[in-house]
Amino acid sequence: DGSTPPAADPGAEADRLRGLAALTRGRGPVPVPPPPGPDGVYGTERSELYGIEAERAALRDPGRRRAARRTLLRSLGPGSPLLPVAVRTLVGCALAGLLCAALGVGRPAWAIVTAASLYQANITLTWNRTLQRTLGNLLGVLVFAAVLPLSRTAPLALVLCCLFFGFAAEALITRNYWLGSVAVTPMALLVLEFGAPHPAGELIGDRVLDTVLGALAGFLAAALVPNRRAAGRVERALHATAEARTDAERA
C-alpha cells in the first residue's frame, strides 16, 4: 500500500543471531532456514546458512584434501622458491636441537624456535635478524630476573606480569623486532611459573644458552643453504602483480 515497513527490532535481531550461533557452533547440524516469503524470496538466512554448510562440505571433500597435498608437494619440489627456506629451517632446527642435546642444555625447544625465527630473504637480512633476536632475548632475560621476585608475591601479580608482557610483545614485535623479543622472553619464562616455581638461575642459564646455540645454528644453516635467486623471483612476482592489477582495472 506504499507505507514504510516498520524498522526491525535490534534486540530481536541480536537474539536471532545468537540463536544461529548456538546452533552452528562446533560441527552440529545447520538449522533449516525459514520458508520463502509471498514473493518466493528466501531472504539472507538461506544464503548465510548455505555458506556455513559449503565451507564444511569443502573441508570434508577428499578431492580437496588431495589437491592440497599435491599443492604442498609441488611447493617443496625442485626449483620451488620455498624449497631453500624449508631446507634452511630443517637444517637449522635439527642442528640447534642436536647441539643442545650434545651439550646437555635444558629446554632445547627454545633453541629450535630461535633457529626457525631467523630466516629472511637474504643472508644480510638473516644476519640482522640474528643480532636482533640474540640482543632482545638477552635483554629480556635481564628483565625477567628483575620482575621475577614481584611475580612470586601473589598469583595475581604473576597473571598481571604475563598480561603486561604479552601486550607489549604484540605492540612492539611488528614495529621493532628486538624490542618485541625483549617482551616475549620474560613472558615465556614467566608462563613456566604457572606450573611450579623454577630456580631462577636454571631458567636464565637455559634461556641464554638456548638463544646463543639456536642463533648460531640458524645462521650457519642460512650460510650453508644459499638462496641467491630470491631477488629474481621477487622481480618476477612484482611484474606479475602489476599485470594482474592492470587486468583487474580493465575488467
Side-chain angles (χ1 to χ4, degrees):
D1 56 358
S3 60
T4 303
D9 181 9
E13 179 67 9
D15 292 338
R16 185 184 70 84
L17 293 176
R18 278 192 290 268
L20 289 178
L23 288 172
T24 58
R25 186 176 295 119
R27 294 190 174 275
V30 175
V32 179
D39 54 357
V41 178
Y42 284 92
T44 59
E45 288 87 354
R46 179 174 289 273
S47 59
E48 291 172 355
L49 297 177
Y50 176 76
I52 296 173
E53 183 59 30
E55 292 179 0
R56 293 178 178 175
L59 293 175
R60 295 191 296 264
D61 184 13
R64 190 182 182 92
R65 295 179 181 178
R66 287 193 295 269
R69 286 194 293 267
R70 287 194 297 267
T71 301
L72 175 63
L73 293 176
R74 284 197 300 269
S75 65
L76 297 177
S80 168
L82 297 179
L83 182 60
V85 180
V87 174
R88 281 181 177 181
T89 305
L90 175 63
V91 173
C93 292
L95 184 58
L98 290 174
L99 281 176
C100 289
L103 297 177
V105 180
R107 298 177 178 84
W110 287 348
I112 294 173
V113 170
T114 298
S117 68
L118 302 181
Y119 303 120
Q120 302 295 300
N122 55 53
I123 195 69
T124 302
L125 294 177
T126 301
W127 172 247
N128 290 337
R129 177 58 63 89
T130 302
L131 293 179
Q132 292 175 4
R133 177 82 180 196
T134 304
L135 175 63
N137 281 12
L138 296 181
L139 291 178
V141 167
L142 297 179
V143 175
F144 166 75
V147 302
L148 183 60
L150 173 63
S151 69
R152 288 181 173 178
T153 58
L156 180 60
L158 176 60
V159 172
L160 292 177
C161 287
C162 289
L163 289 176
F164 171 78
F165 287 116
F167 176 81
E170 293 293 338
L172 295 173
I173 198 71
T174 57
R175 293 173 172 82
N176 193 307
Y177 186 79
W178 76 270
L179 277 178
S181 298
V182 173
V184 169
T185 300
M187 180 186 68
L189 294 173
L190 287 172
V191 166
L192 297 176
E193 294 289 298
F194 283 102
H198 293 75
E202 176 186 330
L203 289 177
I204 293 173
D206 287 347
R207 187 68 178 191
V208 170
L209 288 176
D210 287 332
T211 296
V212 173
L213 293 176
L216 176 64
F219 185 76
L220 181 61
L224 293 176
V225 182
N227 191 17
R228 299 186 182 91
R229 294 184 294 174
R233 285 194 293 268
V234 170
E235 292 179 358
R236 291 193 295 271
L238 290 174
H239 180 69
T241 302
E243 290 183 345
R245 178 179 179 179
T246 301
D247 294 340
E249 290 176 348
R250 185 184 303 115

